[in-house]
């Protein structure tokens, strides 16, 4: 009889451990499969940018961009710092003209949506080519999503930005100091 009681207790304990383990695995699978959302996004933007005195690294120039737009995730504003090398990588074809291509070496930004949610990004790569024939810049950047707040808490993913830049105001040395930027963002946003 004691053997039967012990056997019953041991069997009950094993069943309890297996049930708990199975429930934990199923809960983890459920969270991963059903509670996380992945969305393909497309957003149009427009705004401006100016050079800053911020020194992110040697031999670079840092610009501040203020953009607004709308798209899959709703209306937004976007504030970004972007750092470019001061020496072109090469001169060549750019848009429908010719000019220098400048590497984007660093950057980061914050999207703010109407509900107050924030989505943060860092620049992983980018190139700015300047069409000197038509005084237009073509900026292409890739962003890694690093998180956020509100509905973007724990967000990840990547966005690709393509923008067209036009000078508005020049300095005394004829360098552009205020430019417009219009374009679009496409990519994937994942939220746990």
């Amino acid at each position: 009889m004691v053997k039967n009681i012990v056997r019953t207790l041991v069997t009950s304990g094993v069943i309890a451990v297996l049930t708990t383990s199975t429930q934990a695995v199923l809960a983890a699978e459920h969270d991963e499969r059903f509670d996380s959302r992945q969305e393909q996004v497309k957003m149009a933007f427009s705004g401006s940018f100016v050079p800053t005195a911020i020194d992110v690294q040697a031999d670079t120039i840092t610009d501040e961009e203020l953009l607004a737009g709308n798209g899959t995730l709703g209306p937004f504003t976007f504030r970004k710092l972007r750092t470019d090398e001061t020496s072109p990588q090469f001169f060549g074809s750019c848009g429908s003209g010719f000019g220098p291509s400048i590497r984007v070496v660093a950057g980061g930004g914050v999207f703010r949506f109407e509900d107050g949610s924030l989505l943060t990004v860092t620049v992983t790569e980018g190139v700015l080519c300047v069409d000197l024939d038509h005084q237009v810049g073509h900026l292409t950047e890739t962003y890694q999503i690093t998180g956020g707040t509100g509905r973007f808490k724990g967000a990840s993913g990547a966005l690709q930005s393509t923008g067209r830049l036009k000078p508005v105001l020049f300095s005394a040395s004829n360098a552009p100091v205020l430019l417009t930027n219009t374009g679009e963002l496409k990519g994937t946003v994942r939220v746990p």
Side-chain angles (χ1 to χ4, degrees), residues 5-91:
I5 292 174
V6 170
R7 186 176 301 148
T8 302
L9 289 174
V10 169
T11 303
S12 297
V14 169
I15 290 172
V17 168
L18 289 175
T19 301
T20 303
S21 299
T22 303
Q23 287 173 343
V25 168
L26 290 174
E29 286 177 357
H30 175 77
D31 286 348
E32 186 177 301
R33 235 185 284 149
F34 299 107
D35 290 344
S36 97
R37 297 179 321 243
Q38 178 170 310
E39 188 165 1
Q40 295 296 315
V41 298
K42 184 175 180 181
M43 303 183 289
F45 64 81
S46 64
S48 62
F49 78 84
V50 297
T52 70
I54 298 170
D55 187 15
V56 173
Q57 65 186 60
D59 300 320
T60 63
I61 185 167
T62 300
D63 298 317
E64 178 180 26
E65 292 187 51
L66 299 173
L67 306 172
N70 200 351
T72 311
L73 302 173
F76 66 90
T77 59
F78 183 44
R79 184 174 187 177
K80 177 182 77 171
L81 293 176
R82 185 191 78 248
T83 301
D84 305 329
E85 292 180 333
T86 54
S87 298
Q89 290 182 298
F90 62 88
F91 283 79

Side-chain angles (χ1 to χ4, degrees), residues 68-184:
N70 200 351
T72 311
L73 302 173
F76 66 90
T77 59
F78 183 44
R79 184 174 187 177
K80 177 182 77 171
L81 293 176
R82 185 191 78 248
T83 301
D84 305 329
E85 292 180 333
T86 54
S87 298
Q89 290 182 298
F90 62 88
F91 283 79
S93 182
C94 176
S96 60
F98 183 85
S101 285
I102 301 162
R103 188 168 71 97
V104 177
V105 295
V110 179
F111 290 89
R112 184 183 188 286
F113 294 86
E114 282 189 332
D115 66 356
S117 295
L118 304 177
L119 182 68
T120 58
V121 298
T122 58
V123 175
T124 58
E125 63 182 345
V127 173
L128 168 62
C129 78
V130 181
D131 177 346
L132 296 174
D133 298 331
H134 302 97
Q135 289 195 358
V136 175
H138 300 276
L139 178 62
T140 304
E141 295 174 308
T142 301
Y143 304 122
Q144 177 181 343
I145 297 171
T146 57
T149 65
R151 64 185 163 127
F152 299 111
K153 184 177 181 183
S156 62
L159 298 171
Q160 179 80 27
S161 173
T162 54
R164 180 179 163 99
L165 314 174
K166 294 279 289 177
V168 175
L169 183 65
F170 293 88
S171 68
S173 64
N174 208 31
V177 293
L178 176 63
L179 297 99
T180 63
N181 186 2
T182 57
E184 70 176 11

